[in-house]
Amino acid sequence: MTAAAETTPTSDRELVLTRIIDAPREKVFRAWTDAELLKQWFAPLPWTTPSAELDVRPGGSSLIVMRDPEGNDYPNRGIYLEVVENEKLVFTDAYTEAWQPSPKPFFTGVLTFEDVDGKTRYTARARHWTVEDRDAHEKMGFHEGWGRCTDQLAALVAKL
Amino acid sequence: MTAAAETTPTSDRELVLTRIIDAPREKVFRAWTDAELLKQWFAPLPWTTPSAELDVRPGGSSLIVMRDPEGNDYPNRGIYLEVVENEKLVFTDAYTEAWQPSPKPFFTGVLTFEDVDGKTRYTARARHWTVEDRDAHEKMGFHEGWGRCTDQLAALVAKL
């Protein structure tokens, strides 16, 4: 499989972002799974992430609060579906806890962390249940928003 | 918690069926997880279950084909979310495989198998993402259909 093929969405309901991050994958994985680290990069500035509770195991729940520049808080609840240390992390907002369906399943995030000569090929896939949700997510600024967060993530792990 | 409390739906998006089955819970669990056994009870007669492929592990997929009396086949795809041997089984149609969203997430099944003096308190919860889906499932005959299947399940495990 070529690098180009790896960044192709697997369906018309998927959005995908990929990036080579100049840090070992253990650090990139930690930035996603250690709440104190996640709070430092998760929201695109000037938004912030004042609180994060992460129970990183299959069926474990997460509650991440994002704050806009006016001080309004936006809680995001989800659960982890699959956790392979330093390699893969899968989560969704389709459940608020194991196994209570949320009011609206929007997407499933599939993150992979691949070692490339000590650096990390980081791939984030957002898989939606409908084409409409995928398109709405793109219009909400998926590529720019996740891109900026990935910049923040890369800057943080460079200092770890 | 009383037996009555245990059969109360946990939300207005849930349907629940509970039954004491006169067999140890290991056998009831087996009837759900061994494909050859499942085919013998899963569809309410005169419907049948000509084929079942069950990869019973978190993230494993299932493909169960039900056949109506006219010979039309209805494939059902899903995945297992949680597997606790002889105690609990959780599955959903929200994914067709790990982790590809299905076209329409309809419900999550949460089965518990409790030991009651050598018999099994069997509880099947169907949790939906919307009240509309819960109501539609009830109108499709959830209580009668799952009740008849549970009769068939109980008759099968009595012979194991």
Side-chain angles (χ1 to χ4, degrees):
Chain A
M1 192 185 288
T2 67
E6 284 171 344
T7 63
T8 304
T10 59
S11 86
D12 62 356
R13 295 181 290 148
E14 180 175 287
L15 294 167
V16 59
L17 170 149
T18 194
R19 187 82 64 87
I20 297 290
I21 296 178
D22 191 3
R25 61 183 181 170
E26 291 78 9
K27 292 186 179 179
V28 186
F29 186 83
R30 239 175 83 205
W32 262 99
T33 54
D34 177 321
E36 292 311 309
L37 293 179
L38 183 128
K39 290 194 287 183
Q40 298 176 49
W41 69 267
F42 189 75
L45 287 168
W47 284 55
T48 57
T49 309
S51 129
E53 295 166 35
L54 314 177
D55 183 9
V56 186
R57 58 182 175 85
S61 50
S62 64
L63 173 56
I64 303 175
V65 180
M66 296 170 75
R67 181 171 293 168
D68 73 14
E70 287 73 46
N72 303 304
D73 283 350
Y74 299 83
N76 294 276
R77 288 179 189 278
I79 64 154
Y80 297 97
L81 293 170
E82 185 177 346
V83 179
V84 183
E85 194 167 2
N86 301 331
E87 291 184 20
K88 190 176 185 183
L89 194 62
V90 184
F91 54 88
T92 184
D93 57 16
Y95 298 91
T96 53
E97 60 181 289
W99 299 99
Q100 287 291 358
S102 64
K104 162 68 185 163
F106 183 59
F107 83 106
T108 298
V110 179
L111 310 178
T112 53
F113 310 85
E114 294 167 271
D115 177 57
V116 181
D117 301 326
K119 301 184 178 185
T120 301
R121 176 179 294 127
Y122 168 72
T123 304
R125 297 178 184 277
R127 292 181 177 159
H128 305 78
W129 275 274
T130 66
V131 174
E132 292 70 29
D133 283 348
R134 178 249 178 240
D135 292 348
H137 205 172
E138 187 169 45
K139 287 206 180 79
M140 282 159 60
F142 171 84
H143 291 289
E144 189 197 340
W146 284 50
R148 285 167 57 199
C149 294
T150 304
D151 291 343
Q152 296 171 187
L153 167 64
L156 176 68
V157 296
K159 296 184 298 182
L160 292 179
Chain B
M1 191 186 287
T2 67
E6 285 171 341
T7 62
T8 304
T10 58
S11 86
D12 61 357
R13 296 180 289 148
E14 181 174 288
L15 294 167
V16 59
L17 170 149
T18 193
R19 186 82 63 87
I20 298 288
I21 295 178
D22 191 4
R25 60 184 181 170
E26 291 79 8
K27 291 185 178 179
V28 186
F29 186 83
R30 242 176 78 205
W32 263 99
T33 54
D34 177 322
E36 292 310 308
L37 293 179
L38 182 128
K39 291 195 286 184
Q40 297 176 48
W41 69 267
F42 188 76
L45 287 167
W47 286 54
T48 57
T49 309
S51 122
E53 295 166 36
L54 314 177
D55 183 10
V56 186
R57 58 184 176 86
S61 51
S62 65
L63 172 57
I64 303 174
V65 179
M66 295 170 74
R67 181 170 294 166
D68 73 14
E70 287 74 46
N72 302 303
D73 282 351
Y74 299 84
N76 294 276
R77 288 177 189 280
I79 63 152
Y80 297 96
L81 293 170
E82 186 178 346
V83 179
V84 184
E85 194 167 2
N86 301 331
E87 291 183 21
K88 191 177 185 182
L89 193 62
V90 184
F91 54 88
T92 185
D93 57 15
Y95 299 92
T96 52
E97 60 182 292
W99 299 96
Q100 286 292 359
S102 63
K104 163 65 185 164
F106 183 60
F107 83 106
T108 299
V110 179
L111 310 178
T112 54
F113 309 85
E114 295 167 89
D115 177 59
V116 182
D117 302 325
K119 299 183 178 185
T120 301
R121 178 181 291 126
Y122 167 73
T123 304
R125 296 178 185 277
R127 291 181 177 159
H128 305 79
W129 275 274
T130 67
V131 174
E132 291 70 28
D133 282 348
R134 179 249 177 239
D135 292 348
H137 205 172
E138 187 170 44
K139 286 204 182 80
M140 281 159 60
F142 171 84
H143 291 289
E144 190 198 339
W146 284 49
R148 284 167 55 200
C149 294
T150 305
D151 291 341
Q152 296 171 186
L153 167 64
L156 175 68
V157 295
K159 295 184 298 181
L160 292 179

